[in-house]
Amino acid sequence: MQDPDCIFCKIVNGAIPSRKVFEDEEIFVEQVERQRRDGYRMAFLEDGKGVRAVAGYRLLESLFSGSFCYVDDLVTDATGRSLGYGGALLDWRAAAAREAGWGTRS
């Protein structure tokens, strides 16, 4: 049985409008797991109505930029758009990256 608040399940089932890259839930989950092995992480923001926003991100380093947080995916529940959920999630991610020393050059 699926969690009724599962935002990714809602995307896959078409309850949340999106540009679908994956039509099959199993293939979608396999893709997420493959990305997780390469450092992809997910965070979500919820309120009393359930999950309102989800971000997929990676902590990376490059010679040019040093360490940084790259946000691959940001999804907000349609009923929660323009209420600041996506921004709050990005603000949390940026603060957590700074606390961990990411985004500063050595």
Side-chain angles (χ1 to χ4, degrees):
M1 181 173 181
Q2 292 180 348
D3 177 356
D5 293 325
C6 172
I7 197 164
F8 287 110
C9 299
K10 290 178 183 179
I11 293 168
V12 170
N13 294 330
I16 295 176
S18 65
R19 181 181 62 86
K20 288 187 181 179
V21 176
F22 302 100
E23 293 288 336
D24 182 281
E25 186 173 348
E26 184 176 326
I27 293 171
F28 175 78
V29 171
E30 289 173 4
Q31 177 69 33
V32 171
E33 289 302 317
R34 194 168 38 257
Q35 287 179 226
R36 286 183 62 194
R37 287 191 295 271
D38 290 331
Y40 181 80
R41 300 172 187 183
M42 296 170 70
F44 64 91
L45 186 145
E46 64 182 337
D47 64 9
K49 295 180 180 178
V51 175
R52 302 308 294 262
V54 178
Y57 64 94
R58 295 175 283 155
L59 299 175
L60 301 172
E61 291 184 276
S62 71
L63 294 174
F64 172 75
S65 300
S67 58
F68 60 98
C69 178
Y70 182 84
V71 177
D72 293 272
D73 306 293
L74 179 62
V75 179
T76 303
D77 186 302
T79 62
R81 291 202 181 112
S82 299
L83 297 176
Y85 292 113
L89 189 55
L90 291 176
D91 289 346
W92 167 82
R93 182 61 260 161
R98 280 191 300 276
E99 280 183 28
W102 287 84
T104 58
R105 290 184 182 241
S106 302

